[in-house]
Amino acid sequence: AAAGVDAGGGDVWTDPDLANASYDSVSFDMVQDGAPFDCFFKPDGTKMYVVGQGNDALYQYSLSTAWDLSSASYDSVSFSLSTQDTATLGVFFKPDGTKFYIAGNVNDAIFEYDLTTAWDISTASYSTNSFSVASQDTTVAGVFFKDDGSKMYVLGLAGDSVYQYSLSTNWDVSTASYDTKSVSTSPQGETNPSGLFINPQGTKIWVSGTSNDTVA
């Protein structure tokens, strides 16, 4: 699944039908880390960010043709995440590029970072804000936010579920609280979920997993 915003700021989202998906025979070899786990794209498709579990770092790439992986190149820019967690599995950026969030598997927490220059992770620093989800799941694999930052969704491997949280201050994870709402991925046969995406309307959830090697 992928979402885009046009240059004028208009929403160009259309819900993808996975049944009609086909491989474009386009890929990108990420040589910076031997264990890439999650990626995120700038809304205009000109930047890509990959979290690598091998080095516990976030890497930044530019795409000379928006959304075309064959045009990607490494910006020689990375940011170490190991001070906060040594098994980083998920990444999400605030829509304006001034914050990003990491799902940490060792500490079962979501960590928040600030960027002084939007979309440039060389200007990133840890905000000191974090939120533990250990009461819900002890193996955190992914994180996603509502577009206004008032809701957070966390993917948990131990419980094979997506958990919902409310933030009393938008985009500040230290203000999060559990809504006592979750959805299990097990009925679809996915007992090892690893990736999470929600459409802008909040009406669909996509989860990728390694049990079936599928997106559902």
Side-chain angles (χ1 to χ4, degrees), residues 83-87 104-111 131-134 138 140:
T83 301
Q84 282 71 56
D85 203 283
T86 55
N105 185 267
V106 170
N107 293 314
D108 307 315
I110 307 302
F111 299 94
F131 180 76
S132 173
V133 299
T138 56
V140 180

Side-chain angles (χ1 to χ4, degrees), residues 4-184:
V5 176
D6 66 23
D11 185 2
V12 295
W13 170 271
T14 55
D15 282 344
D17 184 351
L18 292 180
N20 296 324
S22 61
Y23 179 43
D24 288 345
S25 299
V26 176
S27 63
F28 180 77
D29 186 9
M30 182 195 164
V31 298
Q32 285 72 41
D33 196 293
F37 205 89
D38 196 14
C39 70
F40 193 94
F41 284 81
K42 186 179 177 182
D44 65 3
T46 61
K47 291 284 186 184
M48 177 177 70
Y49 305 85
V50 179
V51 61
Q53 190 178 6
N55 297 321
D56 298 311
L58 184 66
Y59 302 89
Q60 178 179 309
Y61 304 82
S62 291
L63 288 77
S64 56
T65 301
W67 301 107
D68 184 351
L69 276 180
S70 67
S71 72
S73 60
Y74 181 43
D75 288 346
S76 298
V77 175
S78 65
F79 182 81
S80 176
L81 307 164
S82 60
T83 301
Q84 282 71 56
D85 203 283
T86 55
T88 50
L89 303 186
V91 59
F92 185 93
F93 276 77
K94 186 180 177 183
D96 65 3
T98 60
K99 286 183 180 288
F100 70 82
Y101 304 82
I102 292 294
N105 185 267
V106 170
N107 293 314
D108 307 315
I110 307 302
F111 299 94
E112 176 187 318
Y113 301 80
D114 293 321
L115 291 81
T116 55
T117 300
W119 303 109
D120 181 356
I121 64 171
S122 70
T123 69
S125 61
Y126 179 44
S127 72
T128 72
N129 291 335
S130 65
F131 180 76
S132 173
V133 299
S135 296
Q136 285 73 56
D137 203 291
T138 56
T139 314
V140 180
V143 60
F144 202 93
F145 285 80
K146 186 179 177 183
D147 57 6
D148 65 0
S150 64
K151 294 284 185 183
M152 178 175 71
Y153 305 87
V154 174
L155 181 64
L157 281 164
D160 306 321
S161 295
V162 179
Y163 305 91
Q164 177 181 308
Y165 303 82
S166 290
L167 286 74
S168 57
T169 299
N170 293 2
W171 301 109
D172 182 347
V173 296
S174 69
T175 70
S177 59
Y178 181 43
D179 288 344
T180 320
K181 294 181 180 179
S182 65
V183 59
S184 175

